[in-house]
Amino acid sequence: MATNLYEVSGLCVDVKYLIMGFLANNVYIISDGEGTMVVDPSCNADKILAALEGTKLDAIVLTHGHSDHVGAAAALREATGAPVIASAIEAPAIENPAANVVDDDPVPCPVDRAVAHGDVVEVGNMKWKVIATPGHTNGSICLLNIPQFGNHPEGLPVLVSGDTLFAGTIGRTDFEGGSMDEMRASLKKLAALPDDTAVLPGHNSLTTIGAERRRVFALFGDPE
């Protein structure tokens, strides 16, 4: 097992994550025992494959196209045959990286399924609702799974938040395609979720919607 593979307890699905790359990205391995997905494979596909420990990979989900979130996607896709899922808006930047990347060595990756707000990504028995959350990039998405569609029905709902919502802060809006006005609107969507929703961000510590209601949503305007 990878030495920096962390397990998260108390959620409606099984979640492990690696902290990878020069920007310390959280790379999530999420499973319900029937299907497994990797979210935002930053770099080093071999290390992610080792962390899978032989488990079949069913999907690679990208929250947005910045290279620190997609750097290993192409290699992981080639090694496993798992389809890559990303926002239809973001797909062109993932397949043909241009100016809206974080570093100078982007790695293009085919997008097998392009999704939009309200779509559902099914992996095993999990049903992840796609929430369009522009602001950090024009095509950023978050994904929500509720206990009804998890292998631990007593566990907490889970939001994969990419670089939209962090513990105590938000993603930068000064990159190409970013917008503070759109970020505020996206945060209002997330603020409508239950307080006990666990938030799995692209960087830094895990948090909950309730914790961020007192911090981020209070600062940027809570619709409640």
Side-chain angles (χ1 to χ4, degrees), residues 61-147:
V61 178
L62 308 178
T63 62
H64 63 289
H66 284 162
S67 59
D68 63 318
H69 290 256
V70 308
L76 199 59
R77 177 180 181 270
E78 182 176 358
T80 65
V84 171
I85 301 168
S87 159
I89 296 172
E90 210 80 353
I94 295 168
E95 295 186 322
N96 299 290
N100 64 336
V101 295
V102 174
D103 63 25
D104 295 324
D105 189 26
V107 180
C109 179
V111 173
D112 300 289
R113 180 185 173 191
V115 297
H117 181 72
D119 286 349
V120 174
V121 173
E122 297 189 26
V123 180
N125 294 320
M126 298 180 287
K127 298 182 186 297
W128 294 88
K129 183 178 180 181
V130 176
I131 305 172
T133 52
H136 180 64
T137 68
N138 191 37
S140 288
I141 57 173
C142 296
L143 297 101
L144 175 70
N145 192 72
I146 61 176

Side-chain angles (χ1 to χ4, degrees), residues 169-213:
T169 189
I170 61 173
R172 290 177 60 174
T173 60
D174 58 337
F175 292 127
E176 181 178 345
S179 165
M180 180 56 73
D181 287 342
E182 289 190 332
M183 177 65 81
R184 288 181 185 274
S186 294
L187 294 172
K188 288 182 179 180
K189 295 179 187 176
L190 301 185
L193 299 176
D195 281 357
D196 66 349
T197 304
V199 177
L200 310 183
H203 304 267
N204 303 326
S205 301
L206 280 58
T207 184
T208 65
I209 290 294
E212 300 321 315
R213 192 176 308 287

